[in-house]
Amino acid sequence: MMESRLISAFRKTKSIVNQISSNSRLSRSGVCISNEPSSLIHSKTYSSFSFDLIPASQTSIIRSLSNLGFKAFRRHYPNHKGFCRPSFRNLSTAATASTEKKDGLRLLVTAGPRAQKLVGIWLFGSAAWVFSMVVLGGMTRLTRSGLSMTDWKFTGRLPPLTDEDWLVEFEKYKQSPEYKRVNKGMSIDDFKFIYWMEYAHRMWGRALGIMFALPFSYFLRKGYITLQLGLRLSGLFALGAGQGLIGWWMVKSGLEDPASEYAEPRVSPYRLAAHLTSAFVIYSGLFWTALSVVMHEPPAESVAWVKGAAKVKRLALPVSILVGFTAVSGAFVAGNDAGRAFNTFPKMGDTWVPEDIFSMKPLLRNFFENTSTVQESTYEMK
């Protein structure tokens, strides 16, 4: 019984080889191709006789007979360029390359859509946290609370919990120029209010660092983040850590006695502008990175995507520059208390342009330290 099946299988192999020989070209969709569609022979035709008719235990013998048939074909037609054995590995590689070419996307997050969603939520949340930091910093500035804490520690510390602790902090504040020239006679309850405002601002920033670092470490360990994204986020984290140092560098300038005995103590407008600009850079970097994670870079072959992105870029770039200059000028207005110089609009007092806008020497100082010039520049930008 077995011999008859083997003989039958060998005959079918021989007939297929003869049929292959009669064709002029091999098929790419199966074993062979001919110029005429009617002569296509699919690989399933070849495999059916060996695996459908013969038991599984005998399939190795049939494969050997099949290989003998193909080898006979190669001996008779050594120069036939169309002949090849099917390679499932090559097919898989080709399919992968086709998919990548079709998509044309450069992903910043690996491990699938779920990982992409998690990283995107984390980055958008971090950007929102930075935005809240800017708002809280503005409230601290408006309530004149920034100079209430006269020392700084990178890791932070617990707030005063007892009356004795509050008295110690209050005594430190009494030694500052702001208390002596602006808040002399302040009650301890008023001091507690401005202290809590500054303390909340500092601790909110430290909490942001922890909230950013822990998920970042987790995503790195899971392998979700690519090298490109990891380097970008590491740079943003370094900027965030440096932001705390810039903040203390700014506050320290306000704890020094002013040059004039009639001037009110305030932080350096240059340091305040650096502090605010750094916050905007961190926020913009986080928000842009989050968009890059959830909204992939469009394929270069997509003309519609490229044209649309070009239109958005032409509009977004000048608007971003205008907003950036306005924000920085606002920092100089706040740092110089320029908002108090003139409280009328659109005129500045009785004139459109104050006479002393270029009174400082050298000329460049007027754009950063002259209250009239700083406020005038802000009006023009608005």
Side-chain angles (χ1 to χ4, degrees), residues 227-291:
L227 178 61
Q228 179 185 358
L229 180 59
L231 293 175
R232 188 188 304 184
L233 294 178
S234 298
L236 291 172
F237 181 74
L239 283 176
Q243 179 72 335
L245 296 174
I246 295 174
W248 170 243
W249 179 58
M250 175 193 69
V251 170
K252 190 176 180 181
S253 65
L255 298 176
E256 300 173 355
D257 290 320
S260 173
E261 59 178 338
Y262 302 104
E264 292 185 359
R266 58 182 180 224
V267 299
S268 167
Y270 298 99
R271 300 185 187 187
L272 177 61
H275 190 52
L276 181 62
T277 303
S278 178
F280 271 99
V281 170
I282 295 171
Y283 169 77
S284 302
L286 286 172
F287 190 75
W288 185 268
T289 304
L291 289 177

Side-chain angles (χ1 to χ4, degrees), residues 13 20 22 55 84 96 102 145 148 152 193 197 207 291 319 338-339 358 362:
T13 303
I20 292 174
S22 64
C84 63
T96 304
K102 180 180 179 182
S145 305
S148 58
W152 182 83
F193 172 77
M197 289 293 298
L291 289 177
V319 171
F358 297 126

Side-chain angles (χ1 to χ4, degrees), residues 84-154:
C84 63
R85 289 189 181 183
S87 176
F88 295 101
R89 182 177 181 180
N90 293 337
L91 291 175
S92 176
T93 304
T96 304
S98 177
T99 303
E100 291 178 355
K101 185 177 181 181
K102 180 180 179 182
D103 293 340
L105 303 175
R106 291 187 294 177
L107 302 179
L108 295 176
V109 176
T110 59
R114 182 176 178 274
Q116 173 188 327
K117 182 179 179 180
L118 290 175
V119 174
I121 292 174
W122 165 58
L123 291 177
F124 277 120
S126 300
W129 200 309
V130 174
F131 184 84
S132 69
M133 279 288 300
V134 175
V135 174
L136 185 57
M139 294 175 61
T140 303
R141 177 72 189 177
L142 291 174
T143 57
R144 301 184 69 92
S145 305
L147 301 177
S148 58
M149 296 181 67
T150 58
D151 55 7
W152 182 83
K153 292 183 179 180
F154 184 79

